[in-house]
Amino acid sequence: MALGSPEVSIFVAGFPRKVSTIAIAIGGLVSFFVFGLVLRLSDPISSSVSRVFYGNGTPEQVEIPSSLSNHTVQGLYTSNNDIYKSDKNLTSQSSSRSPDLVSSDISPPDLEKGDAVSLDTSTTEKTGVGSGEGETNVSKAGDTPIVSSPSHDDSETTSAETECDLYQGSWFYDPVGPLYTNNSCPVLTQMQNCQGNGRPDKGYENWRWKPSQCDLPRFDARKFLDLMRSKTLAFIGDSVARNQMESMLCLLWQARFKPLFRFMKLFVETPVNRGNKKMQRWFFNSTSVTIVRIWSSWLVHEFNEKFDYAPEGVTKLNLDIPDERIIEALPSFGVVVLSSGHWFAKQSVYISKDEIVGGQLWWPDKSKPMKVNNVEAFGISVETILKSIATHPNFTGLTIVRTWSPDHYEGGAWNTGGSCTGKEEPILPGKLVKNGFTEIMHEKQATDDRDSSKVKLKLMDITEAFGYRHDGHPGPYRSLDPNKITKRGPDGRPPPQDCLHWCMPGPVDIWNEMVLELIRRDFEGKKMRDSSS
């Protein structure tokens, strides 16, 4: 049959219509498949827990290891990989504290240059580690205790999240564990790498904070980067500020994306180090977010030159003049987190209005009383930096004052035999002993009477909650030295240790969950103000 015959012509004429129909059908299926993969691509692995935050989770049961049956466990609410305590019918309560005082010696210089719940009962019992109490329904299944999640009203949580007190609550054990490990974060300072330094226990990594009236979501790296798009977060202060900044970077380093195809590697954005000696700076290119750290031990102007009768070489502090490096960089910051206080233990001379008014570990004329001691000097420094930020003509960002980070040197100060060795879980409710020095330093930050309605100033009041976390410090596990001493000597004296800074991963990561929540609230508040104007 010739190709030009009528039969062949009819066949050829009909063939394209069949091909086009099939092509359209295949193209539709491929488009649907690609669209689904794009949605998966936009979902970071580490953000699976955010499904609870947005109300998409399904409550389920969580098994608590029998080895933890004597731990304090509050009513847990679980959804996929996230665990929360139910916040129904809870009220904020002050913690019960012993009136006894421990040593009021200040924390060490910077190192840089609840009643347990019975799980064998099916009755509802009150329990808690921290400053609030909750309820939990506990049942027993064989040798492994099961904690059933109570009913959860999303509308209650949503309404409570905006205004609830983040700092009154309790600690609960989360079997899921931290979002990163000491091996997955490349910026972790070795002194805070407790597991890498040989600490034998790691349960301290699993305790999470639950406010009494709302949920504190797990840290969501993608959400943080979206909220902070084209902005800079600056951690300003001492080595505890460095501790928190490194925690933030470790958490952000976990923002991973699932690839388009299985044979491709996970997509991980590595921040670019753009820092120098004056300022550490890490840049996330995808969202133009910058994380900055400025070292400022006292937050006020300091110098070493001779002044009046104070000799050269002794640090002098102008208590009424802010650190000029902070003020100079301030306009470029969107969010500032301040951390200070512990350096007021060090030798220094206090100057106000060009007059020497006091000193720490320095006062040559014992016949003259000092006008200002180190606690009062700290209070003045806080007032100085906050006033300078509030009145800065070119700064419109959010300022977060993270309150005094409690140390846990028991039996002495950092240089007189104080120790936190052997602490493996939080202090039980009612067992927290007041530290007079911690309370008065906290008071100097928490009682500022500035009108925060005119200035975007937030107090991140972590002091009481983290007073329970004596288990979260490196202790003697401060280095890789294989010959380091980790036990008490024959005379009972403890080895040198760090009971001020925090292990990573560890309790310090909760601070950045709080920072994210404060940023979210500020962002939502701005949206509401803009929509109403």
Side-chain angles (χ1 to χ4, degrees):
M1 181 184 298
L3 186 61
S5 67
E7 291 83 0
V8 173
S9 299
I10 293 172
F11 174 79
V12 173
F15 183 74
R17 288 195 293 269
K18 293 182 181 180
V19 171
S20 62
T21 301
I22 295 172
I24 290 172
I26 294 175
L29 289 173
V30 170
S31 298
F32 180 81
F33 178 72
V34 171
F35 178 72
L37 285 177
V38 169
L39 290 179
R40 291 290 292 168
L41 180 63
S42 65
D43 181 25
I45 292 176
S46 62
S47 68
S48 62
V49 295
S50 68
R51 298 189 185 99
V52 177
F53 184 47
Y54 292 108
N56 298 326
T58 303
E60 60 190 32
Q61 289 186 327
V62 57
E63 293 191 2
I64 306 299
S66 57
S67 61
L68 295 172
S69 60
N70 63 336
H71 283 239
T72 301
V73 182
Q74 292 217 325
L76 299 182
Y77 180 76
T78 83
S79 178
N80 295 332
N81 291 330
D82 203 20
I83 299 181
Y84 294 106
K85 187 187 72 175
S86 170
D87 58 280
K88 295 193 69 176
N89 303 321
L90 294 180
T91 57
S92 296
Q93 299 183 22
S94 299
S95 67
S96 173
R97 287 183 165 193
S98 167
D100 298 329
L101 295 179
V102 297
S103 171
S104 63
D105 289 331
I106 196 164
S107 306
D110 196 272
L111 296 181
E112 186 176 333
K113 319 201 184 175
D115 294 335
V117 61
S118 173
L119 291 178
D120 58 358
T121 175
S122 60
T123 60
T124 299
E125 299 182 38
K126 288 188 176 181
T127 179
V129 176
S131 53
E133 293 183 350
E135 294 182 355
T136 177
N137 294 323
V138 185
S139 59
K140 187 174 182 180
D143 294 329
T144 303
I146 303 294
V147 179
S148 300
S149 57
S151 61
H152 188 77
D153 188 337
D154 289 330
S155 63
E156 282 191 31
T157 301
T158 302
S159 62
E161 276 176 351
T162 304
E163 300 296 338
C164 93
D165 184 350
L166 295 175
Y167 317 112
Q168 293 294 318
S170 50
W171 293 96
F172 70 92
Y173 188 86
D174 178 1
V176 175
L179 294 176
Y180 67 94
T181 71
N182 63 300
N183 292 319
S184 69
C185 181
V187 296
L188 200 161
T189 296
Q190 192 61 45
M191 284 188 293
Q192 277 76 70
N193 186 356
C194 299
Q195 289 299 302
N197 292 336
R199 180 167 170 171
D201 64 300
K202 61 184 305 180
Y204 63 89
E205 296 181 347
N206 291 61
W207 290 90
R208 294 195 60 224
W209 179 251
K210 172 66 177 70
S212 297
Q213 290 294 315
C214 60
D215 290 331
L216 179 62
R218 278 181 180 272
F219 190 88
D220 186 329
R222 280 300 308 278
K223 185 172 183 64
F224 174 88
L225 292 172
D226 286 341
L227 288 173
M228 287 295 296
R229 186 177 296 272
S230 301
K231 295 183 178 67
T232 296
L233 167 63
F235 293 96
I236 302 175
D238 51 24
S239 64
V240 183
R242 180 204 65 215
N243 204 170
Q244 185 176 1
M245 182 272 290
E246 290 180 355
S247 164
M248 176 63 78
L249 287 174
C250 289
L251 291 165
L252 291 176
W253 227 288
Q254 311 309 308
R256 299 166 183 257
F257 301 86
K258 291 184 178 179
L260 187 61
F261 300 105
R262 288 187 177 183
F263 63 83
M264 297 173 64
K265 293 183 178 180
L266 292 175
F267 169 73
V268 183
E269 181 181 9
T270 301
V272 179
N273 186 352
R274 294 183 174 179
N276 52 43
K277 291 182 179 180
K278 293 182 179 180
M279 183 187 303
Q280 290 182 282
R281 183 186 284 110
W282 296 86
F283 182 73
F284 291 81
N285 188 64
S286 65
T287 52
S288 297
V289 171
T290 305
I291 306 298
V292 162
R293 179 213 169 199
I294 297 179
W295 175 269
S296 181
S297 308
W298 288 280
L299 302 182
V300 294
H301 178 72
E302 62 177 281
F303 64 99
N304 289 314
E305 293 77 19
K306 183 180 185 302
F307 180 87
D308 199 356
Y309 56 90
E312 183 178 359
V314 180
T315 300
K316 288 89 178 172
L317 305 179
N318 285 115
L319 297 177
D320 50 354
I321 302 176
D323 188 331
E324 60 275 8
R325 296 169 299 172
I326 301 174
I327 302 306
E328 180 182 347
L330 197 59
S332 64
F333 301 152
V335 179
V336 170
V337 180
L338 297 175
S339 167
S340 67
H342 292 283
W343 271 65
F344 281 85
K346 290 207 170 191
Q347 185 185 57
S348 50
V349 179
Y350 305 141
I351 301 170
S352 179
K353 298 179 181 178
D354 291 325
E355 176 189 358
I356 295 177
V357 293
Q360 169 68 5
L361 302 179
W362 181 90
W363 192 248
D365 190 351
K366 305 298 182 183
S367 65
K368 292 182 179 179
M370 288 191 296
K371 296 180 181 179
V372 175
N373 62 25
N374 65 331
V375 173
E376 294 162 335
F378 172 56
I380 296 171
S381 73
V382 170
E383 177 65 22
T384 295
I385 191 63
L386 292 183
K387 181 178 179 181
S388 300
I389 291 175
T391 58
H392 197 294
N394 300 318
F395 177 68
T396 58
L398 173 65
T399 302
I400 299 172
V401 180
R402 199 217 66 238
T403 59
W404 179 264
S405 178
D407 66 85
H408 292 91
Y409 289 94
E410 298 182 8
W414 68 276
N415 57 350
T416 58
S419 171
C420 56
T421 301
K423 309 300 183 184
E424 297 185 0
E425 58 187 62
I427 297 172
L428 295 174
K431 303 298 183 181
L432 181 62
V433 179
K434 286 186 177 181
N435 183 313
F437 188 81
T438 292
E439 294 204 337
I440 195 170
M441 293 294 274
H442 169 261
E443 181 182 347
K444 293 298 180 182
Q445 295 170 303
T447 56
D448 183 76
D449 58 0
R450 188 175 311 285
D451 184 356
S452 59
S453 64
K454 297 179 181 178
V455 182
K456 291 203 294 183
L457 173 64
K458 300 295 181 184
L459 187 74
M460 199 173 98
D461 196 357
I462 60 91
T463 306
E464 181 177 335
F466 285 78
Y468 288 89
R469 295 307 309 274
H470 62 175
D471 58 319
H473 303 290
Y477 299 98
R478 303 181 301 164
S479 72
L480 289 169
D481 181 5
N483 299 316
K484 60 178 171 287
I485 302 172
T486 60
K487 305 294 183 182
R488 291 181 179 270
D491 58 355
R493 290 183 61 84
Q497 52 196 286
D498 180 3
C499 302
L500 169 62
H501 299 93
W502 302 92
C503 293
M504 293 173 54
V508 68
D509 300 321
I510 305 297
W511 292 359
N512 288 318
E513 292 182 347
M514 292 177 175
V515 166
L516 174 54
E517 177 62 12
L518 292 176
I519 293 172
R520 185 195 69 80
R521 292 182 181 186
D522 181 68
F523 178 80
E524 296 295 336
K526 184 179 185 300
K527 283 178 60 178
M528 292 180 63
R529 291 191 298 271
D530 291 344
S531 63
S532 62
S533 60

